[in-house]
Amino acid sequence: MKRFLAMLMLVVMMCGCAGLAEGKTFDPSLLEGKEGYSYDKFKRTWYYYEGTAAIDGNDNVFMTQIGLMGEKKELTNSIVAFAVAKNLQPNYIDDVTKLVIMADNDLIIISNVLMINNELNNGQYAIALTEDKIKTLRMIVNAKKVSIRVYAKSAKNGYLDFEMEADLLAPLQEVTELVYTYELYSPYVSDEEITIVKAPIWRENHG
C-alpha cells in the first residue's frame, strides 16, 4: 500500500492548479519529526503529506492524500489528491467523473475534478485545499465511517464503492487540523463543484 501512496505523493509535489495568489507564511520547523515531512536543504523546499487507502472486494484501491508544499517559510500549495488503482497495480482509472461521499449521515457530491497531467501517469486527481473547502474536509476525516462511490465510465456498472472506518481516516486528521489551525490554505483554486446534503434532508428524501 505504501508504494501507491508514495507514487501519489510525487503527483502532489508536482501539482499546480490555476490562479496563483500570495503564499502563506509558515515555519516548517513545526513539522520536524513527523513521518510525512521532508526538507531539501539545497533547494530550501519542504513537503508534508499524510495519506490513507481502502481496498474493495475486487482488489481495486482508492487512495487519497493531503499534501502541503513550501519554500523557505512560505506555503506554496495545499491540496487533496486521490487516485483509483485497478487490481492492486499502478494502473489508474483516468475517467473519473464524480465522487459521492457519505460521511456518517451527510452526503457530499464532488464533480468536475481536475485530473493532473504529468509524465508519471494519468488518473491522479487534485483538489486545491482552499479556505471554503476546509469545513467539508473536516466533516469527512472526522466521521466514524465514510462510504465513497467513485463514478467512472470504465468501471463495471459505472462506479466503484469503497469503505473507510475511523482508523483509516485517522492519518488525515492531524494534517487537516494543522491546515485549519494555521490557515494553510492553497494560494491556487481548482474548478470542482462540491454539494453537501445534510443528514435530515438526505434521510427525508431517501429514507
Side-chain angles (χ1 to χ4, degrees), residues 136-152:
T136 303
L137 181 60
R138 294 179 82 203
M139 181 188 303
I140 295 170
V141 304
N142 291 316
K144 293 180 180 179
K145 182 177 181 179
V146 168
S147 301
I148 303 165
R149 176 162 288 183
V150 181
Y151 285 89

Side-chain angles (χ1 to χ4, degrees), residues 3-144:
R3 68 190 176 104
F4 289 109
L5 294 175
M7 291 182 69
L8 189 57
M9 180 53 197
L10 290 175
V11 177
V12 171
M13 291 163 59
M14 296 172 64
C15 177
C17 304
L20 180 63
E22 183 179 355
K24 169 79 174 184
T25 299
F26 176 72
D27 184 357
S29 66
L30 295 173
L31 303 174
E32 291 178 359
K34 296 184 182 297
E35 183 178 355
Y37 174 70
S38 63
Y39 178 75
D40 188 324
K41 62 183 178 182
F42 294 100
K43 296 181 180 180
R44 301 184 71 182
T45 54
W46 52 270
Y47 306 95
Y48 176 53
Y49 75 97
E50 293 289 349
T52 191
I55 304 176
D56 70 5
N58 296 311
D59 288 337
N60 299 306
V61 183
F62 176 85
M63 65 208 83
T64 185
Q65 287 184 348
I66 301 170
L68 307 177
M69 291 137 274
E71 183 174 358
K72 299 178 182 178
K73 292 188 176 182
E74 182 178 354
L75 178 79
T76 56
N77 208 353
S78 176
I79 74 168
V80 179
F82 74 89
V84 180
K86 301 177 183 177
N87 303 318
L88 294 178
Q89 298 296 323
N91 179 19
Y92 298 115
I93 293 178
D94 61 2
D95 57 355
V96 173
T97 59
K98 180 171 62 175
L99 295 181
V100 177
I101 302 169
M102 186 175 293
D104 291 334
N105 292 317
D106 295 322
L107 196 72
I108 299 133
I109 303 168
I110 306 174
S111 56
N112 194 32
V113 182
L114 169 70
M115 183 170 70
I116 307 165
N117 292 314
N118 59 77
E119 65 271 20
L120 295 174
N121 212 328
N122 287 326
Q124 295 103 354
Y125 298 81
I127 298 172
L129 186 44
T130 48
E131 185 174 6
D132 60 321
K133 300 186 182 99
I134 190 65
K135 182 178 179 180
T136 303
L137 181 60
R138 294 179 82 203
M139 181 188 303
I140 295 170
V141 304
N142 291 316
K144 293 180 180 179

Side-chain angles (χ1 to χ4, degrees), residues 24-26 30 68 129 131 134 138 173-185:
K24 169 79 174 184
T25 299
F26 176 72
L30 295 173
L68 307 177
L129 186 44
E131 185 174 6
I134 190 65
R138 294 179 82 203
Q173 292 171 357
E174 183 177 0
V175 63
T176 299
E177 289 309 303
L178 183 79
V179 171
Y180 176 72
T181 301
Y182 291 95
E183 299 181 345
L184 301 178
Y185 304 123

